[in-house]
Amino acid sequence: MATVAEQWVLVEMVQALYEAPAYHLILEGILILWIIRLLFSKTYKLQERSDLTVKEKEELIEEWQPEPLVPPVSKDHPALNYNIVSGPPSHNIVVNGKECINFASFNFLGLLDNPRLKAAALASLKKYGVGTCGPRGFYGTFDVHLDLEDRLAKFMKTEEAIIYSYGFATIASAIPAYSKRGDIVDKAACFAIQKGLQASRSDIKLFNHNDMDDLQRLLKEQEIEDQKNPRKARVTRRFIVVEGLYMNTGTICPLPELVKLKYRYKARIFLEESLSFGVLGEHGRGVTEHFGIDIDDIDLISANMENSLASIGGFCCGRSFVIDHQRLSGQGYCFSASLPPLLAAAAIEALNIMEENPGIFAVLKEKCKRIHKALQGISGLKVVGESISPAFHLQLEESTGCRERDVKLLQEIVTQCMDRGIALTLARYLEKEEKYLPPPSIRVVVTVEQTEEELEKAATTISKVAQTVLL
Amino acid sequence: MRTEPGGCCCRRPVRANDCVANGEVRNGYVRSSAASAAAAASQIHHVTQNGGLYKRPFNEGFEETPMLVAVLTYVGYGVLTLFGYLRDFLRHWRIEKCHHATEREEQKDFVSLYQDFENFYTRNLYMRIRDNWNRPICSVPGARVDIMERQSHDYNWSFKYTGNVIKDVINMGSYNYLGFARNTGPCQEAAAKVLEEYGVGVCSTRQEIGNLDKHEELEKLVASFLGVEAAMTYGMGFATNSMNIPALVSKGCLILSDELNHASLVLGARLSGATIRVFKHNNMQSLEKLLKDAIVYGQPRTRRPWKKILILVEGIYSMEGSIVRLPEVIALKKKYKAYLYLDEAHSIGALGPTGRGVVDYFGLDPEDVDIMMGTFTKSFGASGGYIGGKKELIDYLRTHSHSAVYATSLSPPVVEQIITSMKCIMGQDGTTLGKECIQQLAENVRYFRRRLKNMGFIIYGNEDSPVVPLMLYMPAKIGAFGREMLKRNIGVVVVGFPATPIIESRARFCLSAAHTKEMLDTALKEIDEVGDLLHLKYSRHRSVPLLDRPFDETTYEETED
């Protein structure tokens, strides 16, 4: 059957050829010729593709000189020679051989040399040794870790908490676990957040520090973009990443407004509370408690245990729906050895102390306000930061116009203060890496251990030294 | 099949001759002919062709997956996936109960936090065998470990602790290579003393006011241990990589990275903004081709020469049990003027006659490695990481490392643990304990690997590597192996996709100097039994060195814009 039909088609074709008009045949003929020409001619000239010979390649390899692995560091680089602290970095600290009162370590609650913490850590050391010898997945989960996660979740009144073995890695791992694109971040955000965002490869939009109008503008922009492309919008997650108490400015984020914006524009809030956890709020639960906001309205809270808790490591807490995802997607959680149990035990004991003495937070707040007031009106220096923030900055009132010179002046103040028994430090930044480099400053840290006299002494010393250096 | 360290392996001269005959003197790779000849002459024995560079036999093999096993494994995943879809369908229509956490009502109309599909694997495959991971322990992670018993009444969605403790499980999972994970002895005593004096935290960064005398002491010791000019230490091993690579390379630089490098190296490379090209695992031919092309052709599009080229390799690869071909890497690096970043997370302490890691193992000069990185988590029983190298490098890192500026420094008692354990390895404590541990580990490794191979399991990696992967292949066997071993009081690590290629699921044993011969024999007996039970003895004793595995020239490139 098939062959018959084919024959029929062939006959028909030949017949059609006969019947076709002459111009048609000519045209087709030309077209066929054209196709043949196209097939056999080089229509474009290949670039002078003279492949390199082996010898030439060898010459090229011989010729290539890489840059040195690292550029030389000048001997007088301000950060090259570290201060050396002998002995514990607690309230009384010995820096470079000089005895000082510590106004530089983030030991807000004075727990660093607390005997209870030490006893708890020691008991743990005697039971578990020091290291964990494995990541959480592979026999690196200790009962202490589970206890600590449980305690943190209870303390923060959230469903779940997850601990990391390093404070910096906490937010830096948590962000890329969720965020793929469409982030909106405060400009003054700390470095760990910046790295986390970079690792997530999100589209990042920065809004001016604590400027809610600017944030709203960006959210609106995003909304308009989403309306244009609703398909993309359905998979674009939007996150607002903010700090509770800003490391770089000492200011508090306006959380109530943020929550309002969150629901209006359907964006999630990630809150980094390293400085505010154990500081703000009646029970030290951080900015959510400070503003009386339901903690469930915040999608993710992350903080480190290296400041108030005076241990090492960090944690994230929030709803199980959010947190559980990190157990398989948080890189710093999955691929890193877990927290040494003695540090976890110390953190648990620190939580106990915080729960037993809720008055401690009010004391801290009082001391912050006191020194804040005492430091006002120093000629040449201005205080930057909220009056209830235990870590705030002293900046030059008038910059000399050159960052290096500013840093030198401030460093001189720090050195002279240290000579007079007040340990302070410059706030250090990687100047080339920061997205938004804050002006140079001296960071002052208040702890509950500092007595009224010591606070007074610090204020007068700073003011005296500043006068001699700056005037 | 052990060769005497001093003696010359029979294959080596033959291979070398082959190379010369073929005119490939420079890199000396002969693939097809040599491979078949080798298979015929000796079945397990393999030494690389670049024999001249090696001072000791380098026996590393990877037996090919048997075809039938590969097919069955794929079928296994196929069935699991089909069932997964079916169960997702049932869950969707609320026929099957949903156990996983859900979004709160107020935020249901938000863009979903993560793609539901992302979790398909977790929900339907991982959840079935989740009990094999995150097993909580309640003792020192030493040679024997106590595991908290847990039960699940909802198919592993949640666990309940029964309160019972499974006592004295033989620990084949922790990275306790030299046996320093202990709660008694000189290390613990020293750490306790420092703990009482200093407390646990530091509350500041190295550059600000968290640079303790202890840190300075540690760094001097690390530098002398490694035989380098200077060293710097960091609070977390993972972060050592991810926060320091960006300080060393940037846009316009090229990173050549082994395909099986650890997540931290990959993250560090990505954060740096440099172009990343990946070479085949431990394949020097692939590395050389990339190096040559990189220098000859320069950067893509602009054709400018690369500013610098950094090779990222690990000492021991923790999933393959292979040891980096360091003599060849160093030869290439010198020839092409690249820089070498060596991550010794698993090899420091665990390899080499004096425990100095892979450089020591091959008898090389530490000066030839530009950046020596490693961690204290494993062999030293502590936590944290270090970088060692020339003084200029360390000075630069002290001023530019992200970790020095923004992250809290190491906890003092942890520092003390490192100092005492390192001194013990160096013999500075006046005992030969460290040396004995190193020898014990090396013996354990050889013994354990040889016995497993003889039993007929497919074992990957180098005969000297304390990481011993035993191939399981099929997804169902991952769970079965882990559970059967725990039933027999042995704790093992099992890994599957995505940590390994999809069909190469495996169990992993980490040997320790703390394991006694009796423990190993018990473990081997049980492994043998479970191996028969689960039909795991796949080996046909035809191991091929990685070099002879199929090698395609496509490379994967990644550029950060």
Side-chain angles (χ1 to χ4, degrees):
Chain A
M1 284 294 283
T3 47
V4 174
E6 260 168 39
Q7 267 172 3
W8 180 239
V9 170
L10 208 67
V11 169
E12 230 178 349
M13 268 172 65
V14 174
Q15 228 166 28
L17 200 66
Y18 277 122
E19 282 168 15
Y23 75 89
H24 198 272
L25 287 176
I26 293 165
L27 203 70
E28 273 184 11
I30 292 170
L31 279 176
I32 288 167
L33 284 176
W34 189 252
I35 288 169
I36 291 168
R37 195 188 117 86
L38 277 180
L39 280 176
F40 288 97
S41 72
K42 272 188 187 165
T43 49
Y44 57 95
K45 242 199 175 137
L46 278 172
Q47 288 169 354
E48 293 293 312
R49 269 207 58 171
S50 50
D51 282 333
L52 295 166
T53 61
V54 177
K55 193 160 166 276
E56 282 170 317
K57 280 188 185 176
E58 265 168 24
E59 276 170 10
L60 279 171
I61 290 168
E62 197 57 41
E63 217 177 82
W64 183 66
Q65 276 304 333
E67 283 181 8
L69 180 58
V70 288
V73 180
S74 68
K75 282 263 173 324
D76 58 343
H77 191 285
L80 182 59
N81 299 309
Y82 295 171
N83 293 319
I84 296 180
V85 176
S86 353
S90 47
H91 178 55
N92 293 307
I93 187 170
V94 181
V95 190
N96 301 332
K98 285 168 240 162
E99 271 182 51
C100 299
I101 301 160
N102 194 346
F103 279 86
S105 305
F106 297 113
N107 179 19
F108 302 131
L109 303 180
L111 296 178
L112 197 101
D113 54 354
N114 188 298
R116 279 179 63 186
L117 247 74
K118 285 182 183 175
L122 197 63
S124 167
L125 174 68
K126 286 195 171 138
K127 187 173 176 201
Y128 303 102
V130 175
T132 57
C133 287
R136 288 292 294 268
F138 306 153
Y139 303 98
T141 302
F142 285 60
D143 45 359
V144 219
H145 294 141
L146 300 174
D147 283 351
L148 176 58
E149 284 178 353
D150 211 39
R151 286 295 307 275
L152 282 167
K154 285 218 179 86
F155 181 82
M156 293 297 283
K157 298 193 171 164
T158 55
E159 284 176 18
E160 199 165 336
I162 176 171
I163 51 172
Y164 282 79
S165 56
Y166 203 38
F168 189 95
T170 313
I171 190 75
S173 293
I175 294 176
Y178 309 97
S179 168
K180 301 292 182 280
R181 64 181 69 134
D183 266 27
I184 294 168
V185 187
D186 193 300
K187 225 172 167 180
C190 75
F191 197 69
I193 293 182
Q194 295 173 28
K195 284 290 132 184
L197 291 167
Q198 201 188 335
S200 74
R201 305 171 172 203
S202 319
D203 304 327
I204 302 159
K205 293 180 179 168
L206 299 175
F207 64 93
N208 291 334
H209 177 51
N210 273 355
D211 182 346
M212 289 302 110
D213 295 334
D214 197 37
L215 172 62
Q216 189 158 15
R217 178 183 64 82
L218 286 175
L219 286 165
K220 261 193 196 136
E221 241 171 53
Q222 183 64 36
E223 200 177 43
I224 293 165
E225 231 171 87
D226 286 349
Q227 279 162 357
K228 271 189 215 150
N229 193 349
R231 222 161 165 208
K232 194 174 158 204
R234 244 179 290 147
V235 292
T236 307
R237 291 173 273 264
R238 290 166 291 263
F239 299 95
I240 305 171
V241 185
V242 289
E243 275 180 83
L245 197 58
Y246 282 86
M247 179 76 136
N248 294 356
T249 60
T251 44
I252 299 177
C253 73
L255 202 57
E257 283 86 31
L258 280 167
V259 172
K260 263 183 228 150
L261 288 174
K262 163 191 162 147
Y263 285 107
R264 191 176 312 155
Y265 294 98
K266 299 193 175 26
R268 292 168 194 275
I269 299 180
F270 283 4
L271 184 60
E272 152 65 25
E273 290 221 72
S274 286
L275 282 194
S276 48
F277 171 75
V279 170
L280 293 183
E282 203 185 328
H283 300 91
R285 288 194 194 102
V287 264
T288 44
E289 194 183 29
H290 177 75
F291 285 113
I293 281 175
D294 182 6
I295 202 149
D296 278 344
D297 282 334
I298 312 298
D299 292 87
L300 182 110
I301 290 179
S302 119
N304 69 33
M305 306 190 279
E306 295 162 359
N307 302 338
S308 292
L309 293 183
S311 181
I312 305 272
F315 69 92
C316 287
C317 63
R319 301 187 302 277
S320 295
F321 174 73
V322 181
I323 299 297
D324 245 359
H325 186 64
Q326 281 180 53
R327 297 204 188 265
L328 287 174
S329 312
Q331 284 212 322
Y333 178 85
C334 295
F335 296 107
S336 160
S338 50
L339 185 69
L342 70 100
L343 298 173
I348 293 178
E349 194 57 35
L351 281 176
N352 285 340
I353 295 172
M354 277 162 65
E355 278 178 348
E356 286 162 27
N357 318 296
I360 196 170
F361 307 108
V363 174
L364 181 64
K365 206 177 281 179
E366 212 38 60
K367 294 198 165 158
C368 293
K369 280 186 187 154
R370 178 178 292 270
I371 190 161
H372 214 87
K373 210 164 142 205
L375 283 173
Q376 298 293 339
I378 296 177
S379 52
L381 284 180
K382 62 176 177 199
V383 181
V384 175
E386 214 89 25
S387 66
I388 53 165
S389 164
F392 57 89
H393 297 256
L394 294 174
Q395 288 173 4
L396 289 179
E397 219 158 31
E398 270 171 62
S399 164
T400 55
C402 160
R403 192 173 174 98
E404 228 168 276
R405 220 175 306 147
D406 288 359
V407 170
K408 274 215 176 108
L409 277 177
L410 291 170
Q411 182 60 51
E412 186 54 36
I413 297 178
V414 169
T415 319
Q416 288 200 20
C417 282
M418 264 191 220
D419 290 338
R420 294 168 196 218
I422 302 293
L424 294 169
T425 176
L426 284 187
R428 303 277 190 181
Y429 307 101
L430 283 176
E431 301 182 359
K432 287 187 189 125
E433 303 271 336
E434 287 275 356
K435 279 251 166 7
Y436 171 76
L437 185 63
S441 63
I442 297 171
R443 199 188 291 114
V444 183
V445 179
V446 184
T447 74
V448 287
E449 284 179 308
Q450 291 152 1
T451 59
E452 277 175 33
E453 295 84 64
E454 284 165 343
L455 289 169
E456 283 311 319
K457 186 187 166 202
T460 45
T461 313
I462 294 170
S463 122
K464 257 189 223 156
V465 168
Q467 257 166 5
T468 53
V469 173
L470 296 177
L471 297 179
Chain B
M1 298 286 323
R2 182 179 162 177
T3 46
E4 292 309 308
C8 190
C9 168
C10 63
R11 293 297 314 156
R12 200 167 8 149
V14 181
R15 285 271 184 111
N17 286 341
D18 270 358
C19 300
V20 178
N22 285 336
E24 288 194 34
V25 194
R26 208 176 314 110
N27 47 6
Y29 290 108
V30 185
R31 283 166 55 212
S32 54
S33 64
S36 53
S42 124
Q43 288 189 321
I44 309 173
H45 231 57
H46 280 278
V47 176
T48 178
Q49 288 82 352
N50 252 341
L53 291 174
Y54 291 86
K55 289 180 184 151
R56 59 191 301 153
F58 187 77
N59 296 345
E60 191 165 300
F62 293 85
E63 192 168 331
E64 224 172 293
T65 311
M67 181 59 94
L68 181 67
V69 176
V71 171
L72 286 176
T73 308
Y74 278 120
V75 171
Y77 277 105
V79 171
L80 278 169
T81 312
L82 278 179
F83 262 86
Y85 278 117
L86 176 70
R87 294 184 67 181
D88 270 4
F89 176 79
L90 293 179
R91 285 189 194 114
H92 183 76
W93 294 102
R94 309 272 156 124
I95 301 170
E96 189 183 325
K97 203 175 148 201
C98 274
H99 294 284
H100 52 91
T102 45
E103 181 67 290
R104 65 203 276 249
E105 279 309 313
E106 293 95 314
Q107 286 181 229
K108 280 270 192 235
D109 54 343
F110 279 44
V111 176
S112 69
L113 186 57
Y114 33 85
Q115 298 273 301
D116 207 33
F117 186 78
E118 277 173 40
N119 285 351
F120 178 85
Y121 182 85
T122 316
R123 229 176 12 243
N124 296 307
L125 279 76
Y126 171 71
M127 209 44 89
R128 288 167 176 269
I129 50 173
R130 190 163 86 125
D131 55 316
N132 288 294
W133 290 279
N134 298 307
R135 285 177 181 155
I137 67 174
C138 49
S139 70
V140 187
R144 286 183 186 273
V145 66
D146 298 341
I147 296 183
M148 289 162 74
E149 193 184 59
R150 50 182 190 176
Q151 278 177 347
S152 178
H153 298 292
D154 50 3
Y155 307 100
N156 289 345
W157 285 98
S158 66
F159 290 106
K160 291 216 162 48
Y161 296 96
T162 58
N164 297 337
V165 172
I166 313 172
K167 282 262 178 206
D168 291 332
V169 176
I170 296 178
N171 182 2
M172 306 291 294
S174 296
Y175 308 129
N176 177 25
Y177 298 124
L178 290 180
F180 279 108
R182 298 178 59 181
N183 58 359
T184 52
C187 295
Q188 186 268 337
E189 280 158 26
K193 216 171 133 230
V194 169
L195 169 64
E196 280 181 51
E197 191 189 338
Y198 284 81
V200 295
V202 184
C203 294
S204 186
T205 67
R206 292 292 298 277
Q207 282 206 357
E208 288 178 359
I209 206 153
N211 179 47
L212 306 185
D213 44 0
K214 280 280 157 209
H215 295 128
E216 297 276 330
E217 182 188 343
L218 174 66
E219 286 174 356
K220 283 200 187 86
L221 185 71
V222 171
S224 79
F225 178 75
L226 295 170
V228 293
E229 287 175 12
M232 188 166 182
T233 56
Y234 306 94
M236 179 191 191
F238 185 96
T240 310
N241 280 332
S242 59
M243 293 161 85
N244 284 307
I245 297 173
L248 297 170
V249 285
S250 57
K251 206 161 186 286
C253 301
L254 176 68
I255 290 176
L256 297 179
S257 167
D258 191 292
E259 62 178 340
L260 295 180
N261 272 346
H262 189 253
S264 56
L265 287 165
V266 176
L267 179 64
R270 281 188 185 159
L271 288 177
S272 72
T275 304
I276 305 161
R277 287 182 189 156
V278 177
F279 60 93
K280 297 279 167 247
H281 174 54
N282 227 352
N283 190 320
M284 294 305 117
Q285 208 179 8
S286 170
L287 173 60
E288 179 160 25
K289 187 178 176 301
L290 285 181
L291 274 168
K292 205 185 264 177
D293 285 355
I295 299 174
V296 171
Y297 299 112
Q299 299 186 34
R301 301 220 322 274
T302 60
R303 297 284 164 232
R304 294 276 171 84
W306 294 103
K307 285 190 204 154
K308 48 193 165 187
I309 300 177
L310 185 69
I311 304 171
L312 297 184
V313 290
E314 285 185 51
I316 292 180
Y317 290 85
S318 66
M319 284 296 163
E320 305 300 297
S322 48
I323 297 178
V324 64
R325 293 167 179 275
L326 195 62
E328 289 173 78
V329 176
I330 288 182
L332 286 178
K333 158 214 130 92
K334 281 186 179 160
K335 184 174 165 198
Y336 294 99
K337 299 179 222 115
Y339 299 108
L340 178 58
Y341 187 107
L342 175 65
D343 177 345
E344 296 221 66
H346 287 266
S347 53
I348 193 74
L351 275 186
T354 57
R356 268 29 168 226
V358 66
V359 176
D360 185 27
Y361 174 75
F362 288 114
L364 299 165
D365 184 358
E367 288 247 317
D368 286 337
V369 181
D370 299 280
I371 303 134
M372 302 261 274
M373 179 269 164
T375 65
F376 301 123
T377 321
K378 283 119 194 170
S379 298
F380 303 97
S383 77
Y386 65 80
I387 282 185
K390 292 237 159 35
K391 188 161 182 310
E392 300 89 75
L393 169 75
I394 302 304
D395 277 352
Y396 184 77
L397 286 179
R398 277 169 84 91
T399 50
H400 290 84
S401 163
H402 299 179
S403 172
V405 187
Y406 298 103
T408 307
S409 27
L410 270 167
S411 159
V414 175
V415 170
E416 191 60 24
Q417 161 83 15
I418 305 166
I419 292 176
T420 37
S421 57
M422 195 173 273
K423 279 187 175 162
C424 180
I425 298 171
M426 295 166 87
Q428 283 187 9
D429 60 342
T431 67
T432 53
L433 205 76
K435 197 149 184 63
E436 282 158 25
C437 283
I438 294 166
Q439 275 166 2
Q440 183 66 47
L441 175 67
E443 268 169 44
N444 284 354
V445 168
R446 292 271 179 128
Y447 175 70
F448 193 76
R449 277 188 164 263
R450 196 188 65 222
R451 286 282 309 272
L452 281 183
K453 272 195 183 164
N454 290 346
M455 284 177 194
F457 293 106
I458 294 187
I459 303 295
Y460 272 11
N462 194 294
E463 64 168 11
D464 286 323
S465 144
V467 180
V468 188
L470 181 152
M471 303 310 288
L472 302 172
Y473 298 111
M474 292 166 213
K477 291 184 181 178
I478 304 176
F481 190 79
R483 288 174 194 153
E484 284 297 325
M485 291 308 283
L486 187 62
K487 231 186 254 171
R488 290 165 166 76
N489 239 27
I490 293 166
V492 296
V493 166
V494 283
V495 271
F497 183 77
T500 67
I502 189 134
I503 66 162
E504 294 184 12
S505 305
R506 61 197 67 175
R508 190 183 65 179
F509 308 103
C510 288
L511 292 165
S512 162
H515 289 138
T516 59
K517 179 123 189 314
E518 292 78 60
M519 286 185 204
L520 292 183
D521 282 333
T522 321
L524 284 163
K525 193 185 113 247
E526 305 294 359
I527 294 168
D528 191 31
E529 214 170 88
V530 176
D532 285 329
L533 184 73
L534 302 177
H535 297 287
L536 292 173
K537 297 179 176 175
Y538 300 113
S539 178
R540 292 167 296 177
H541 297 285
R542 245 180 276 148
S543 138
V544 261
L546 202 56
L547 224 61
D548 297 329
R549 282 182 143 187
F551 162 63
D552 65 275
E553 304 217 329
T554 52
T555 51
Y556 157 73
E557 180 168 321
E558 189 175 333
T559 322
E560 191 90 23
D561 291 317

